């Protein structure tokens, strides 16, 4: 009987620990839908449908638009990272950092 209770109690404790982690809101970009995200070293790139590509160098606390560097592409369909480069698929073509 005690063995049957051991697994459910263990799972309950494990789930309680996982559920206690917290997500914090950022002052992230507004006005679009986050579609894809990738990180390179300590930089996070967020591809959005609407406002384009954003970059954060402080773990998502602040974001800077990168659309002007990409011919004002506003729809980022996909991001990929390789070494220290980022490749973005947009409605205006493929861009590489």
């Amino acid at each position: 009987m005690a063995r049957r209770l051991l697994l459910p109690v263990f799972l309950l404790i494990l789930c309680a620990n996982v559920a206690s982690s917290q997500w914090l809101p950022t002052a992230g970009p507004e006005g679009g839908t986050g579609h894809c995200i990738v990180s390179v070293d300590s930089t996070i790139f967020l591809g959005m449908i609407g406002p384009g590509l954003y970059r954060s160098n402080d773990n998502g606390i602040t974001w800077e638009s990168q659309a002007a560097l990409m011919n004002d592409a506003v729809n980022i369909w996909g991001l990929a990272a390789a070494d220290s480069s980022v490749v973005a698929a947009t409605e205006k073509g493929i861009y590489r950092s």
Side-chain angles (χ1 to χ4, degrees):
M1 177 75 172
R3 291 183 118 185
R4 287 186 184 184
L5 290 176
L6 187 58
L7 180 59
V9 169
F10 174 74
L11 291 175
L12 182 62
I13 292 170
L14 180 64
C15 291
N17 286 335
V18 171
S20 67
S21 63
Q22 294 186 7
W23 288 80
L24 301 173
T26 70
E30 296 181 10
T33 301
H35 188 67
C36 47
I37 192 165
V38 69
S39 65
V40 175
D41 300 323
S42 61
T43 302
I44 303 169
F45 294 90
L46 173 64
M48 298 185 73
I49 304 300
L53 183 68
Y54 282 81
R55 178 183 71 191
S56 175
N57 293 319
D58 56 11
N59 292 317
I61 295 171
T62 60
W63 296 88
E64 178 183 351
S65 175
Q66 303 297 295
L69 301 174
M70 300 174 61
N71 197 21
D72 292 322
V74 295
N75 295 315
I76 309 300
W77 302 113
L79 292 172
D83 298 323
S84 60
S85 295
V86 174
V87 177
T90 78
E91 83 279 8
K92 294 188 176 187
I94 306 293
Y95 291 84
R96 183 176 157 272
S97 67

